[in-house]
Amino acid sequence: MSDVLRLDAFLPFRLSFTSNLVSDTIAGIYVALFDLRIPEWRLIAVVAEEEASPLGGATQQEIGRRTRMDKVTVSRAAIAMVERGLMARVAHPDDKRSHLLHLTDAGRDLYAQVAPKALELERRIFARFDAAELAAFTATLRKIDAAILAEEQAG
Amino acid sequence: MSDVLRLDAFLPFRLSFTSNLVSDTIAGIYVALFDLRIPEWRLIAVVAEEEASPLGGATQQEIGRRTRMDKVTVSRAAIAMVERGLMARVAHPDDKRSHLLHLTDAGRDLYAQVAPKALELERRIFARFDAAELAAFTATLRKIDAAILAEEQAG
DNA sequence: GGATAGTAGTAGCATTTGACACCATGTCGG
DNA sequence: CCGACATGGTGTCAAATGCTACTACTATCC
C-alpha cells in the first residue's frame, strides 16, 4: 500500500476489476448454455445443497443470507424458477409466512448438468494456480469479508 | 477445488461476494462524502494520473481501456464531471473526434481530498494483513486477469 | 386475548448499466 | 481525392438491481 493513489494498484479497484472479469465470463456462458442468470443459478446451487438438510429445502431468507443477495433479487429469481418448472414451493411446516424451495425433477436434471459445468469452468480459469496459492487466496478473501463485516458491526 | 459444487467454496462466487462487499462499502462512503459514484471517482483518478503524461489529459477511450468500463458509462461520468465544473475538455491536438479530459482547479481541489481518503479506506480495510500476504493476493488477482484475457483472445 | 412490533415475501418505482444505433470525423486503398 | 470502412463519443431504449411501501402472518407483552 503506497502513499500515492494509483488506481491500477488500488486494491478495491483491482478486486472489482477481476471480479467483474470472472463474473462476466461466467454469466455469458450460463445464459448461453442454460438460460440462467447469476442469481438464478445461485438459487439452484443453494437449494440443491439445502435439500440434504432436515427441512429438505431453503427459504428465500436463508438464500439471501448465504449469498448476500437482496431479498427482492431472490424473490424474482425464485419466481422465474418456479415458472420454468425447475423449483416448487412447499409450505413451511412451522411458519405460514414462509415457503421452502426445492428442486423439481426437471430442476434436479438441470442441476446435474450445471454443477459439473461450473466446476469445469472454475478449473479452466484456475488451472494454472497451485493448490497452496488458491488456498492462500481464498483465505485472504475470507479475511477481507470478516474485516468489513466487523466494520459494519462497529459502524 | 473439490469435485462437488458448494457455492460457498466456489471461487467465482467468493470473489464476487468479497468484491461486492468492498465496493458497496466504498461506494456508500464516496457518495456520502463527495457525491461521487464509482465511475466518476475512477474518472478523476485516471485523469489525475494522466495529467502528468505528455498529452496532459486522458481521452474517454483511454479511460475505458484502463478501467474496463463501458464507453457509455465513461461518457456519462464525463458529462457529469464537466457539468459539475470538475473537469474540462480540450480539443485533442491530433484528432478532432476526440477530446482530452483534464481537471479544473475545482477538480484538483476535490482530488486532493478524495485521494487521501481512498488510501485511508484501503488501509482501514487491509490493515490487518501483512505486506507479503497482500502482495501475494494482488499477484493472484493479476494472474486471474491474465488467464481470462488470454481465454477471451483464444475464444 | 388484543394491541404492538417484527418477519417473509411481493409489487411498483427509480436508478444504474449495457446494447445498439447513430453522427461526426478520420484513415486507407485505389 | 473519394468511396469504404474504422473510431470517438452520445442519444435512446431495454435489462438488471435496489429502495420503499405493502400484505399476510407471527411473536410478544402487558
Side-chain angles (χ1 to χ4, degrees):
Chain A
M1 277 188 268
S2 111
D3 59 343
V4 292
L5 179 62
R6 284 187 311 117
L7 188 62
D8 187 64
F10 187 56
L11 249 166
F13 171 72
R14 286 250 65 82
L15 197 50
S16 160
F17 186 96
T18 303
S19 171
N20 289 340
L21 219 48
V22 173
S23 290
D24 290 351
T25 303
I26 293 189
I29 292 173
Y30 272 87
V31 167
L33 290 182
F34 306 114
D35 193 27
L36 289 176
R37 340 283 130 194
I38 296 241
E40 292 166 7
W41 112 252
R42 286 180 179 174
L43 231 67
I44 294 186
V46 172
V47 170
E49 281 179 58
E50 284 301 315
E51 288 204 313
S53 77
L55 282 172
T59 63
Q60 295 186 190
Q61 131 133 313
E62 169 71 6
I63 295 169
R65 196 188 56 69
R66 288 183 46 178
T67 60
R68 212 183 162 82
M69 292 192 291
D70 194 276
K71 69 177 181 171
V72 179
T73 305
V74 175
S75 170
R76 280 188 280 244
I79 290 169
M81 301 316 284
V82 170
E83 276 176 1
R84 275 179 65 179
L86 298 172
M87 291 188 187
R89 297 175 202 272
V90 297
H92 192 295
D94 304 331
D95 189 336
K96 283 187 189 159
R97 293 168 301 180
S98 186
H99 309 97
L100 290 170
L101 288 165
H102 67 93
L103 294 175
T104 60
D105 289 344
R108 234 179 306 276
D109 283 354
L110 186 64
Y111 180 70
Q113 297 180 264
V114 163
K117 193 74 193 168
L119 293 168
E120 183 202 319
L121 276 174
E122 190 184 40
R123 285 205 183 87
R124 212 162 81 203
I125 298 173
F126 297 101
R128 64 188 71 187
F129 303 90
D130 64 43
E133 179 170 4
L134 287 180
F137 184 71
T138 56
T140 302
L141 283 174
R142 285 189 193 272
K143 278 205 257 178
I144 296 170
D145 297 344
I148 293 181
L149 294 173
E151 282 261 332
E152 271 181 18
Q153 238 44 9
Chain B
M1 276 188 268
S2 109
D3 57 346
V4 291
L5 179 62
R6 284 187 312 116
L7 189 62
D8 187 65
F10 186 57
L11 250 167
F13 171 72
R14 286 250 64 83
L15 196 51
S16 160
F17 186 96
T18 304
S19 172
N20 288 341
L21 218 49
V22 173
S23 289
D24 291 351
T25 302
I26 293 189
I29 293 173
Y30 272 87
V31 167
L33 289 182
F34 306 114
D35 192 28
L36 289 176
R37 339 284 131 195
I38 295 241
E40 292 166 9
W41 112 250
R42 286 180 177 174
L43 231 66
I44 294 187
V46 172
V47 170
E49 282 180 56
E50 285 300 315
E51 287 204 313
S53 76
L55 282 171
T59 63
Q60 295 185 190
Q61 131 134 315
E62 170 70 6
I63 295 168
R65 196 188 56 71
R66 287 184 46 178
T67 60
R68 213 183 162 80
M69 291 192 292
D70 194 276
K71 68 178 183 171
V72 179
T73 304
V74 174
S75 170
R76 280 189 281 243
I79 291 169
M81 301 316 285
V82 170
E83 275 175 2
R84 276 178 66 179
L86 298 171
M87 291 188 187
R89 299 175 202 269
V90 297
H92 192 294
D94 304 331
D95 189 336
K96 282 186 189 159
R97 293 168 303 180
S98 185
H99 310 97
L100 289 170
L101 288 165
H102 66 94
L103 294 175
T104 60
D105 288 345
R108 236 179 307 278
D109 284 354
L110 186 64
Y111 180 70
Q113 297 181 264
V114 163
K117 193 74 193 167
L119 293 168
E120 182 202 319
L121 277 173
E122 189 185 39
R123 285 206 183 86
R124 214 162 78 204
I125 296 173
F126 298 100
R128 64 189 69 186
F129 302 90
D130 63 44
E133 179 171 5
L134 287 180
F137 183 72
T138 55
T140 302
L141 284 174
R142 285 189 194 271
K143 278 206 257 178
I144 296 171
D145 296 345
I148 293 182
L149 294 174
E151 282 260 333
E152 270 181 17
Q153 239 43 11

